[in-house]
Amino acid sequence: MSGQNALAVTGLCKKFKGFSLQGVTFSVPRGTIVGLVGENGAGKSTTLRAVMGLTRPDAGKIELLGREDAGFEVRSRVAMVCDSGNFPGRYTPRQIGRLMRSAYPQWDGGLYRGLLQKLGLPEGKKLRQFSRGMQMKLAIAAAFAQQAELLVLDEATSGLDPAVRDDILDMLLDFVQDAGRSVLVSSHITGDLEKVADYIVFLHRGRLVFEKPKDELRYRYGIIRCTGEQYPLLDRGDILAARKLDYAWDVLVGDREAAERKYPQMVIDPASVEEVILLYMKGETA
């Protein structure tokens, strides 16, 4: 039901020269963090731009906060953080606070100033003097103070050092502690998403491969490590994706425990989210 989702995307299509987004469907349940993953050019940014109303889809339906006809009142409760930062370098955080206060009726100036202090972001320093990590923290602090219900991040942690990325992930976890707040985060750093995401949406070459709870990928999926002689013995119906290595095969299966019972002579390991994605991207599907 749309009321249970901060975002519902249904049958989203967008065609460009040399690329097309084809029938993408997924949702962001309220109170969750959803990770959007895929290779460069998979369609992640196109999807996020359509969600934010920055590009017009050729087909499909997008419901924001339960509304398909999302006007300013709805969109003012959705905030986006881009990989290049949100604000011009000539402004200071103090000036940004004034601008945001005039643009968003629900702006919480006290929360904003408190976050600036907590994050060590000087109010009077121009953003061009901020590191990229500081700019990302500022953009997220502004989204918090905007009282956003849905926070959309487009590769916002890319290129940041691990300590700063960890700080930002903690901020996202804090954000969804407030009932009803949700996050859609696009990232190619699957290790970050393993820490915070509740669901993973995987796009590959403009198509949706799957939308799964993260814990299902981590605890149910498995990888059979088998020899070239063992590979032909596998039931093709068990194989989600397979990749040939020098002298062996890595085979992705959707039920590790069932595979262990069926193939007791083979080594079957748990699969990380990154391994699942890489096998789909670089392997062969059955």
Side-chain angles (χ1 to χ4, degrees):
M1 295 174 59
S2 60
Q4 298 173 334
N5 293 320
L7 170 68
V9 176
T10 307
L12 181 64
C13 298
K14 181 68 179 179
K15 189 171 184 179
F16 298 99
K17 184 177 180 180
F19 171 77
S20 62
L21 197 66
Q22 304 173 58
V24 171
T25 297
F26 68 94
S27 62
V28 178
R30 291 182 183 271
T32 68
I33 298 176
V34 173
L36 182 64
V37 301
E39 74 278 11
N40 290 336
K44 302 188 301 297
S45 291
T46 299
T47 299
L48 296 187
R49 287 178 60 81
V51 165
M52 297 302 297
L54 301 175
T55 189
R56 183 182 294 274
D58 297 328
K61 183 172 73 171
I62 297 172
E63 292 185 29
L64 275 175
L65 305 179
R67 295 284 298 275
E68 187 177 351
D69 55 338
F72 174 77
E73 191 278 327
V74 172
R75 293 194 178 277
S76 70
R77 293 183 279 139
V78 180
M80 186 172 188
V81 177
C82 302
D83 62 347
S84 56
N86 281 30
F87 306 110
R90 66 180 181 275
Y91 289 115
T92 66
R94 183 179 294 112
Q95 291 171 319
I96 288 167
R98 292 174 186 151
L99 291 171
M100 297 292 281
R101 182 179 62 200
S102 63
Y104 295 99
Q106 66 271 35
W107 177 258
D108 187 333
L111 174 61
Y112 178 66
R113 289 188 296 273
L115 285 170
L116 293 181
Q117 185 175 11
K118 178 181 177 180
L119 297 170
L121 302 175
E123 288 191 48
K125 191 173 183 179
K126 291 188 182 297
L127 265 62
R128 66 169 62 98
Q129 298 173 289
F130 278 24
S131 69
R132 187 166 176 275
M134 292 170 70
Q135 292 186 32
M136 292 301 104
K137 289 181 181 181
L138 174 65
I140 294 173
F144 280 36
Q146 183 183 322
Q147 301 295 323
E149 294 178 37
L150 174 63
L151 180 57
V152 177
L153 294 93
D154 187 5
E155 297 287 357
T157 61
S158 177
L160 301 179
D161 68 63
V164 174
R165 291 207 322 268
D166 202 54
D167 288 343
I168 289 176
L169 296 179
D170 285 342
M171 292 177 72
L172 300 184
L173 289 170
D174 287 343
F175 182 77
V176 296
Q177 294 309 304
D178 191 336
R181 288 185 173 178
S182 314
V183 175
L184 174 61
V185 51
S186 162
S187 178
H188 65 272
I189 307 173
T190 52
D192 287 354
L193 298 181
E194 285 207 52
K195 294 179 183 178
V196 299
D198 299 292
Y199 298 89
I200 301 292
V201 175
F202 175 34
L203 299 182
H204 182 47
R205 298 177 180 172
R207 294 180 180 272
L208 176 73
V209 179
F210 62 69
E211 175 188 16
K212 298 277 188 183
K214 178 193 67 181
D215 286 347
E216 180 178 337
L217 298 176
R218 292 179 62 194
Y219 301 121
R220 188 175 180 190
Y221 277 46
I223 299 175
I224 300 176
R225 319 283 187 184
C226 63
T227 65
E229 291 76 22
Q230 291 173 318
Y231 180 68
L233 303 176
L234 298 175
D235 185 336
R236 305 303 291 179
D238 295 332
I239 301 173
L240 298 178
R243 186 181 183 191
K244 191 178 187 305
L245 307 176
D246 289 340
Y247 303 105
W249 284 83
D250 279 354
V251 180
L252 182 67
V253 294
D255 189 331
R256 184 177 76 252
E257 292 183 358
E260 288 170 344
R261 293 191 296 269
K262 191 170 182 178
Y263 308 109
Q265 75 279 18
M266 298 185 191
V267 175
I268 306 175
D269 294 329
S272 68
V273 173
E274 182 172 9
E275 287 174 315
V276 172
I277 300 304
L278 285 175
L279 269 168
Y280 270 112
M281 288 197 310
K282 296 189 174 183
E284 307 165 6
T285 53

